[in-house]
């Protein structure tokens, strides 16, 4: 009897452990066997007793694998993203490193110690077509408190966070934003269990990441300043520079843009001075003549004044507008 029991225990262990090992190896993932998987095995023992013997089979043991809640967050913004009149676009990957499908609550915090300014979070967006490029109207904007779509184990989604500059931000100042992803099932210390909340009706167990992870991405303020200088050159009918009736005064408006960003929608206007008359056809931008009428070019001019749209002008540039009048 002792020999029979010993053989039975030994055989069951060898067969059971071997089967379990084979089952795990065949379904291996980054976080292990998929949640809800049934691990089943049955042990077999053979024996002899006197001149005869036999084979016996144990009962089947079934173990349902619980869901492990884990996540990883990594920034995809390798250099500080530029923020000017348009928001900065920061990007991250959120990876489900657990073993069951899971959605994650996302939050972006612009208040990080050491920031030169604290940006304003405009929106959190899922890269719907996974091309790594933010596309307004195509990518999915998450509402306040909304979670990502369910992410399969070992899969990732790309996340964009749009950040606007606050009033008072200065050119070239830098800032960081922290993106946090937390499992919607729950978070906590490793080993915390949520009964019946796992995939397939098993439990959900918090992994080593606490089911929450975060990462920082940087942005930089890219702003511009404009200085406008006006000068006048006089040419009278005698070939000298006397401001006498009949003399021509040519005004130059110099718009100098400084800073690392750009001035958007730069627009210059100037009234024709009292006591003078606009010289038709004298309006120019950087030496190139414009028509006076309202047409496809950038300016208009007439008896009341000039109006010129320069549009976006990058820092480090100077644009010059000229027009002439005669002294009455």
């Amino acid at each position: 009897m002792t020999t029979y029991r010993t053989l039975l225990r030994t055989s069951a262990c060898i067969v059971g452990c071997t089967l379990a090992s084979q089952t795990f190896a065949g379904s291996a993932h980054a976080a292990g066997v998929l949640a809800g998987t049934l691990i089943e095995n049955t042990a077999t023992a053979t024996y002899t007793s006197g001149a005869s013997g036999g084979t016996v089979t144990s009962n089947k043991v079934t173990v349902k694998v619980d869901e492990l809640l884990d996540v990883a967050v990594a920034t995809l913004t390798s250099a500080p993203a530029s923020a000017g009149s348009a928001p900065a676009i920061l990007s991250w990957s959120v990876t489900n490193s657990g073993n069951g499908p899971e959605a994650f609550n996302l939050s972006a915090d612009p208040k990080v110690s050491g920031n030169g300014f604290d940006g304003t979070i405009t929106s959190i967006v899922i890269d719907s077509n996974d091309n790594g490029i933010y596309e307004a109207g195509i990518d999915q904007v998450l509402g306040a408190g909304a979670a990502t779509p369910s992410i399969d184990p070992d899969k990732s989604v790309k996340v964009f966070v749009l950040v606007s500059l606050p009033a008072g931000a200065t050119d070239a100042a830098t800032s960081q934003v922290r993106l946090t992803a937390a499992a919607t099932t729950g978070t906590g210390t490793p080993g915390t269990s949520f009964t019946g909340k796992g995939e397939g009706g098993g439990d959900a167990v918090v992994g080593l990441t606490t089911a929450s992870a975060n990462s920082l991405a940087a942005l930089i303020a890219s702003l511009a300043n404009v200085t406008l200088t006006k000068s006048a050159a006089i040419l009278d009918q005698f070939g000298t520079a006397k401001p006498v009736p009949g003399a021509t005064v040519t005004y130059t408006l110099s718009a100098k843009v400084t800073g690392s960003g750009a001035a958007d929608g730069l627009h210059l206007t100037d009234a024709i001075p009292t006591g003078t008359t606009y010289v038709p056809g004298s309006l120019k931008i950087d030496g190139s003549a414009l028509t006076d009428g309202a047409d496809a070019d950038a300016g208009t001019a007439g008896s009341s004044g000039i109006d010129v749209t320069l549009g976006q002008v990058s820092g480090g540039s100077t644009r010059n507008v000229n027009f002439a009048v005669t002294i009455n």
Side-chain angles (χ1 to χ4, degrees):
M1 182 62 70
T2 301
T3 301
Y4 167 72
R5 288 176 175 169
T6 302
L7 284 171
L8 182 59
R9 286 197 299 267
T10 303
S11 176
C13 179
I14 292 172
V15 175
C17 291
T18 300
L19 287 173
S21 176
Q22 290 173 345
T23 302
F24 276 104
S27 305
H29 292 263
V33 178
L34 292 178
T37 298
L38 299 180
I39 298 177
E40 302 176 327
N41 67 356
T42 303
T44 302
T46 59
Y47 67 95
T48 58
S49 180
S52 62
T55 300
V56 294
T57 303
S58 75
N59 58 295
K60 181 187 291 185
V61 174
T62 301
V63 176
K64 179 183 285 187
V65 176
D66 284 340
E67 181 176 349
L68 193 64
L69 302 172
D70 271 320
V71 62
V73 179
T75 180
L76 301 176
T77 304
S78 57
S82 176
S85 55
I89 300 172
L90 306 179
S91 59
W92 287 264
S93 67
V94 176
T95 302
N96 179 4
S97 49
N99 68 335
E102 183 71 20
F104 297 90
N105 293 316
L106 301 180
S107 61
D109 182 6
K111 296 181 179 181
V112 178
S113 177
N115 277 355
F117 61 88
D118 293 334
T120 300
I121 303 301
T122 302
S123 55
I124 299 177
V125 183
I126 298 294
D127 186 3
S128 299
N129 53 16
D130 198 37
N131 65 355
I133 301 171
Y134 169 67
E135 297 167 298
I138 295 177
D139 293 326
Q140 178 187 355
V141 178
L142 296 182
T148 68
S150 180
I151 305 173
D152 288 335
D154 299 325
K155 300 299 183 181
S156 302
V157 295
K158 294 184 179 70
V159 176
F160 302 115
V161 175
L162 277 60
V163 188
S164 297
L165 293 179
T170 57
D171 185 43
T174 58
S175 180
Q176 294 187 100
V177 171
R178 186 187 308 278
L179 182 73
T180 299
T184 56
T185 298
T187 62
T189 58
T192 300
S193 181
F194 300 96
T195 304
K197 298 295 186 181
E199 179 71 5
D203 295 344
V205 181
V206 174
L208 293 177
T209 64
T210 72
S212 177
N214 65 82
S215 180
L216 295 169
L219 64 151
I220 186 169
S222 185
L223 299 171
N225 291 307
V226 178
T227 56
L228 183 62
T229 304
K230 183 175 181 179
S231 60
I234 301 171
L235 178 63
D236 63 30
Q237 57 269 47
F238 311 111
T240 61
K242 299 296 183 181
V244 296
T248 299
V249 182
T250 299
Y251 293 107
T252 297
L253 310 180
S254 292
K256 183 178 182 180
V257 182
T258 58
S260 64
D264 293 312
L266 185 56
H267 182 211
L268 305 184
T269 59
D270 197 0
I272 302 303
T274 301
T276 68
T277 301
Y278 173 69
V279 177
S282 64
L283 183 63
K284 297 179 181 180
I285 296 179
D286 297 328
S288 297
L290 303 179
T291 60
D292 292 339
D295 48 29
D297 69 24
T300 60
S303 59
S304 60
I306 62 103
D307 188 310
V308 176
T309 299
L310 296 175
Q312 185 181 78
V313 181
S314 299
S317 302
T318 299
R319 303 295 303 275
N320 294 307
V321 172
N322 307 103
F323 68 97
V325 298
T326 55
I327 300 175
N328 297 337

